[in-house]
Amino acid sequence: MDIYFLGTGAGMPSTTRNVSSLALRLTEERGTFWLFDCGEGTQHQLLHSPLKMSKCEFIFITHLHGDHLFGLPGFLSSRSYQGGQTPLTVFGPKGIGDYMKVCFGVSRTEVSYPLLIKEIEPGVVWEDDQFIVTAMQLSHRIPTLGYRIVEKDRPGKLKFELLRDKGIPPGPVYGQLKQGKDVQLPNGELLFATSVLGEPLPGRTVAILGDTKPCDNAVRLARNADLLVHEATYMHDKADNANEYGHSTAQQAAEIAREAGAKKLALNHFSSRYKEGEQMDELLTEAQSVFPNTVLALEHHVVTIAEGAEGTA
């Protein structure tokens, strides 16, 4: 489970950064990814990544500013041509339905897979047997959502020695037990999964915030998260600019992570005023002085959310 950053720039693309988009790659067993925001050029970024459009399951839009949205019609259209046939749901704030209706209507675009556009309110927006996704309102110039993705606890690891002692060879039975399913053996014995599994593995939590000034909901979304993805449009000497335009500084993002008790912070959504190299190093240093376990999320950068440990970049 990790995050693949497709675009980390603020406002408009530059020669080194595209506008906002990131992919949450889920468990290997699930084999899919969820896209968060889809700025212009996102599908081009995907072509230079290991991600396949056909494997995208959900798209979560944080808000309707163009640098987070203008790539969505092209992505959805191209997904048909890239072999995407499985259903896809787009979640977003009020207005996302009208936007897609106009884009597809005027361009007469049709897709070959079931597509659902779902306008959401704060609260639980998705839940299945593996994950629960909650949205909360942030503080920006227009209505903006942040998302908290919680992986539910998973069955513990198989006790292989115990299975070998019972004379059970590796095979489909192992897979069923690992999923927590009881199995009837050929000799008629009912083998309870709980008897051959270790302690349940705690699920991981990721908070992915849209554009925002520091606010209480940012802390709530990031509470004890294994990873917080937070914008850092400016350094703190531009705090007045950040406040005026509804953004955060690197220092403020670090303060949110510290207050929330997050384990790791990944900064993104950087102003084009900050060039690769020394200026970005200064931005990182500013955040690390408050919250040491901070990394910069650059183009095609991956941050892993490891099981039972802090993620590594």
Side-chain angles (χ1 to χ4, degrees), residues 185-201:
L185 301 177
N187 64 6
E189 178 187 354
L190 182 61
L191 183 60
F192 293 99
T194 53
S195 69
V196 293
L197 289 173
E199 290 295 318
L201 300 173

Side-chain angles (χ1 to χ4, degrees), residues 121-302:
E121 299 288 341
V124 174
V125 299
W126 171 259
E127 184 174 6
D128 63 10
D129 61 347
Q130 290 182 297
F131 296 95
I132 181 168
V133 182
T134 303
M136 289 186 181
Q137 195 73 46
L138 298 175
S139 181
H140 192 45
R141 290 177 293 159
I142 65 172
T144 300
L145 298 168
Y147 294 97
R148 179 180 174 90
I149 304 95
V150 177
E151 180 187 30
K152 295 180 179 179
D153 290 352
R154 293 153 291 147
K157 295 183 179 180
L158 275 177
K159 299 176 181 177
F160 294 105
E161 290 186 4
L162 193 154
L163 290 170
R164 284 197 295 268
D165 291 344
K166 286 181 171 288
I168 303 172
V173 169
Y174 279 39
Q176 294 176 51
L177 291 168
K178 191 173 182 180
Q179 294 173 30
K181 298 178 182 178
D182 300 334
V183 173
Q184 187 167 17
L185 301 177
N187 64 6
E189 178 187 354
L190 182 61
L191 183 60
F192 293 99
T194 53
S195 69
V196 293
L197 289 173
E199 290 295 318
L201 300 173
R204 292 156 287 187
T205 298
V206 184
I208 300 172
L209 275 55
D211 293 0
T212 187
K213 298 191 290 187
C215 63
D216 291 342
N217 276 349
V219 177
R220 294 187 181 101
L221 287 165
R223 181 70 66 195
N224 299 323
D226 293 282
L227 176 66
L228 166 62
V229 180
H230 197 296
E231 69 131 289
T233 308
Y234 299 99
M235 291 185 64
H236 207 65
D237 62 334
K238 300 293 182 183
D240 289 343
N241 299 61
N243 183 67
E244 179 181 359
Y245 294 108
H247 290 296
S248 297
T249 68
Q251 177 181 316
Q252 289 169 337
E255 290 168 348
I256 293 292
R258 182 178 62 187
E259 183 177 352
K263 296 183 178 68
K264 186 165 192 166
L265 169 64
L267 301 176
N268 71 347
H269 200 267
F270 309 113
S271 167
S272 59
R273 73 176 62 233
Y274 304 114
K275 309 302 180 185
E276 304 301 326
E278 184 177 347
Q279 289 181 315
M280 291 300 292
D281 289 343
E282 291 174 358
L283 190 148
L284 177 61
T285 298
E286 176 178 288
Q288 288 179 334
S289 68
V290 176
F291 189 81
N293 198 17
T294 301
V295 297
L296 296 178
L298 305 178
E299 305 297 288
H300 301 285
H301 182 90
V302 176

